[in-house]
Amino acid sequence: MAAPAAGGNGAALAADARGGSRRALSRLLTAIESRTPVAEEALRALYPVAGGAHVVGVTGPPGGGKSTLVSALVARARAADRPVAVLAIDPSSPVTGGAILGDRIRMNGYAGDRDVFIRSMASRGHLGGLAGTTAESAAVLDACGFGLVFIETVGTGQSEVEVAAIADTTMVVQAPEMGDEIQAMKAGLLEVADLVVVNKSDRPGADRAAMQLRAMLPLGDEASGAGDRPRPKRPEVLLASGLTADGVPELLATLDRIHDSRAAAGPQAARLGRARAQVEGILGDRTRAALWSTHRRAETDALMERVAAHDLDPYAAADQLLDQLRLGGDDGSG
């Protein structure tokens, strides 16, 4: 195993992570979450060798058993000797900003397997069920040889649709007990689904829930979908149990089939959505850094005070700040 990089050099840290050092990979993901210069240097080195992994977004309401189902999928993938990684997005601690549920604990049965990497990431107030650096973290895991990457969202309700913009395939997990709540999901999570899974299929009502979902799922359009990507004319609905592993082999095979069919059709529009999300995130970070940099802080604060006093509307303030950035040519990276 390669020795971890010394001195915080991003390129060396990236090389060590690609060389198999799990310690280096963990340090790199921490640097990415903290948005450090080391992380940017490492991402610049790793990005050209990424792009081969199948990134699966796993979302759905609380209580659906997402973590248990992902764990069962990991086990199935490992039985086929496939390296697999999991990014489990957890709510943030209001005190430290760190993840407070800790899916690594829930999946600690894989602690000794070097071809499984599980990382809990704090949402840190980011909306949409993700963390702000999820896409970058998935790219790093891709570059480090994990051909299957699961992104498990927080699980806070039907607003968790952002994962569809950064995942190749979006899997929505439901539970039989949801009943009428499924109707409320129709205009939310179900519209971004490539695949819907009724988990806990060993419980009463699972077949009925699957039948309801099949009846209500939108027909969709192959040329459109979340993140401007193709989607099935009607997402498949499968039954599975993360607890007993019933239906899990079929579920993994279906995920592979969806991915393979899209790859055969050419470059995936989903990856354009992911690229857009990443570039927009970087632009946002650099714009904020530029606006609040030391030499602009006073004028930015003055504008905020005028908006607070209703002497200036927020749109005019935003226009003025953008004009200042254009004139100053500051990208916020310094």
Side-chain angles (χ1 to χ4, degrees), residues 69 73 171 173 195-197 238-241 246-257:
L69 186 59
L73 285 165
M171 182 173 78
V173 180
L195 177 66
V196 179
V197 181
L238 299 182
L239 287 150
S241 171
D246 288 342
V248 171
E250 294 79 6
L251 174 55
L252 185 58
T254 301
L255 287 169
D256 289 338
R257 175 168 49 79

Side-chain angles (χ1 to χ4, degrees), residues 24-115:
L25 178 54
S26 295
R27 289 176 57 200
L28 179 50
L29 291 175
T30 298
I32 288 171
E33 287 189 82
S34 301
R35 301 183 184 274
T36 67
V38 167
E40 181 175 333
E41 183 183 348
L43 282 166
R44 288 177 184 270
L46 290 173
Y47 204 81
V49 295
H54 182 192
V55 179
V56 179
V58 183
T59 188
K66 294 189 295 296
S67 293
T68 305
L69 186 59
V70 168
S71 182
L73 285 165
V74 170
R76 179 66 184 177
R78 290 302 301 130
D81 202 29
R82 297 171 63 177
V84 58
V86 180
L87 291 173
I89 317 302
D90 285 335
S92 299
S93 163
V95 178
T96 66
I100 60 176
L101 290 183
D103 285 75
R104 285 171 291 179
I105 297 174
R106 293 181 236 162
M107 301 181 189
N108 61 7
Y110 302 105
D113 190 338
R114 288 185 48 77
D115 287 318

Side-chain angles (χ1 to χ4, degrees), residues 189-204:
L189 290 176
L190 295 182
E191 290 188 348
V192 304
D194 296 305
L195 177 66
V196 179
V197 181
V198 178
N199 192 24
K200 308 179 183 180
S201 60
D202 50 317
R203 295 190 181 183

Side-chain angles (χ1 to χ4, degrees), residues 189-242:
L189 290 176
L190 295 182
E191 290 188 348
V192 304
D194 296 305
L195 177 66
V196 179
V197 181
V198 178
N199 192 24
K200 308 179 183 180
S201 60
D202 50 317
R203 295 190 181 183
D207 289 328
R208 180 172 177 271
M211 183 176 63
Q212 287 180 327
L213 285 162
R214 291 187 183 106
M216 75 170 58
L217 278 168
L219 286 174
D221 182 343
E222 286 286 357
S224 65
D228 298 323
R229 67 179 183 186
R231 60 168 295 167
K233 288 190 176 295
R234 180 171 301 211
E236 293 184 55
V237 178
L238 299 182
L239 287 150
S241 171

